[in-house]
Amino acid sequence: MLNQKVNSYYQRPGEMSGLGRFITVEGGEGAGKSSNLAFIQALLEAAGKQVLFTREPGGTPLGEAIRELLLGHKHTGMADDTELLLMFAARAEHLQRKILPALEQGAWVLCDRFTDASFAYQGAGRGIADDRIALLERFVQGALRPDLTLLLDLPVETGMERAGNRSQPDRFEREAETFFNKVREGYLRIAAREPERVRVIDASPALEAVQKQIVDVMQGYLDSLDG
Ligand code: Z5A
């Protein structure tokens, strides 16, 4: 029902009166999403927004179970299409059970990764054609897209070095540098295509300098809503 309502407007959630905004954060391996998400949430809350923080794949009990299948090592030879479909199965559950109800109640949803990750990882990384992913995007989301996306971008080598200290790399983190270079290029292509929605943050300097850029982007976005 809810997504029928959202689809019937055929607009982004923020463009519908009374609905919250949908903000996503993306980036490659070790880009610093986890290090910055709480900071972004605090900025929004300081601006008086009610924020629901969530993540993909995951965000619901079923989604988290799918996440385990995707990131664990039990199914290392998973077919690329299966990986893509599982991402969207988790996303369908996430949208129906959590994201859309929160937006409907006026909350701002802050999500660690969303469909741009499917285009970057399964599309650019694995080589699945964009139009096949776009088909699933329309099927699962209708017209719903994030209002704002922060893309934390940094050279793959730097990200891998930062993430390198993890004792138990997940199924994606075991990929080679060439895979992550394709993912980065995929993300940057999306940002070039949609510069209004996707703001690129240079994630290579020290955290303080990264967070200064985040403040500028978030402040600019909040100001644009007031204007
Ligand atoms: N995936 C997909 O393929 N398709 C999809 O549709 C979706 C997801 C939705 C799980 O994502 C995997 O799912 C992901 C893509 C795939 N695989 N990969 N790779 P995830 O988001 O849960 O996992 P992750 O990408 O590995 O994120 P992470 O582990 O949370 O890393 P991060 O958040 O980007 O980095 P971090 O933990 O904040 O920082 C890494 C280290 O760097 C840490 O020690 C920090 O202290 C340090 N750091 C952070 N910033 C700085 C700065 N500025 N300077 C110095 N050091 C820093």
Side-chain angles (χ1 to χ4, degrees), residues 123-194:
R126 302 277 191 231
I128 298 178
D130 275 1
D131 59 349
R132 297 182 70 220
I133 303 175
L135 198 78
L136 292 172
E137 183 182 41
R138 280 194 299 278
F139 181 90
V140 169
Q141 297 167 222
L144 187 124
R145 303 287 180 275
D147 289 294
L148 176 71
T149 297
L150 270 60
L151 170 58
L152 301 180
D153 176 64
L154 81 176
V156 168
E157 223 181 353
T158 315
M160 288 181 94
E161 261 170 42
R162 285 184 185 172
N165 301 328
R166 287 179 185 134
S167 52
Q168 292 220 308
D170 66 35
R171 202 171 59 83
F172 287 95
E173 288 162 355
R174 284 195 174 171
E175 290 292 336
E177 196 170 327
T178 47
F179 175 81
F180 290 113
N181 272 311
K182 290 185 204 163
V183 169
R184 184 185 187 200
E185 285 160 18
Y187 270 132
L188 290 174
R189 272 198 298 276
I190 298 171
R193 216 167 41 228
E194 294 181 68

Side-chain angles (χ1 to χ4, degrees), residues 97-119:
R97 307 271 178 239
K98 199 165 178 180
I99 295 176
L100 291 173
L103 291 172
E104 176 83 356
Q105 284 166 18
W108 284 44
V109 176
L110 175 62
C111 192
D112 182 350
R113 297 194 187 279
F114 194 63
T115 304
D116 293 320
S118 301
F119 283 103

Side-chain angles (χ1 to χ4, degrees), residues 1-214:
M1 262 321 269
L2 269 171
N3 69 334
Q4 273 170 17
K5 181 175 177 190
V6 170
N7 285 343
S8 70
Y9 286 89
Y10 217 77
Q11 288 173 327
R12 294 202 306 229
E15 290 167 341
M16 287 173 251
S17 61
L19 292 193
R21 261 51 174 188
F22 184 28
I23 316 277
T24 60
V25 179
E26 300 278 357
E29 176 72 352
K33 290 181 297 88
S34 308
S35 309
N36 288 298
L37 277 156
F39 180 75
I40 297 169
Q41 179 165 0
L43 285 177
L44 291 171
E45 285 173 349
K49 310 300 177 195
Q50 183 202 334
V51 181
L52 175 85
F53 171 68
T54 187
R55 70 170 180 181
E56 289 213 347
T60 64
L62 179 53
E64 292 294 327
I66 295 174
R67 181 185 176 93
E68 274 189 45
L69 293 175
L70 281 161
L71 301 195
H73 297 286
K74 214 170 159 190
H75 307 284
T76 44
M78 183 184 297
D80 294 346
D81 279 359
T82 311
E83 184 179 284
L84 177 69
L85 288 164
L86 285 173
M87 291 292 176
F88 273 96
R91 186 162 296 136
E93 185 74 5
H94 197 196
L95 278 168
Q96 300 281 339
R97 307 271 178 239
K98 199 165 178 180
I99 295 176
L100 291 173
L103 291 172
E104 176 83 356
Q105 284 166 18
W108 284 44
V109 176
L110 175 62
C111 192
D112 182 350
R113 297 194 187 279
F114 194 63
T115 304
D116 293 320
S118 301
F119 283 103
Y121 282 79
Q122 284 65 54
R126 302 277 191 231
I128 298 178
D130 275 1
D131 59 349
R132 297 182 70 220
I133 303 175
L135 198 78
L136 292 172
E137 183 182 41
R138 280 194 299 278
F139 181 90
V140 169
Q141 297 167 222
L144 187 124
R145 303 287 180 275
D147 289 294
L148 176 71
T149 297
L150 270 60
L151 170 58
L152 301 180
D153 176 64
L154 81 176
V156 168
E157 223 181 353
T158 315
M160 288 181 94
E161 261 170 42
R162 285 184 185 172
N165 301 328
R166 287 179 185 134
S167 52
Q168 292 220 308
D170 66 35
R171 202 171 59 83
F172 287 95
E173 288 162 355
R174 284 195 174 171
E175 290 292 336
E177 196 170 327
T178 47
F179 175 81
F180 290 113
N181 272 311
K182 290 185 204 163
V183 169
R184 184 185 187 200
E185 285 160 18
Y187 270 132
L188 290 174
R189 272 198 298 276
I190 298 171
R193 216 167 41 228
E194 294 181 68
E196 272 299 302
R197 174 178 71 86
V198 183
R199 310 291 171 82
V200 181
I201 304 288
D202 177 4
S204 48
L207 198 56
E208 202 175 294
V210 174
Q211 292 184 339
K212 186 182 177 315
Q213 299 172 66
I214 291 174

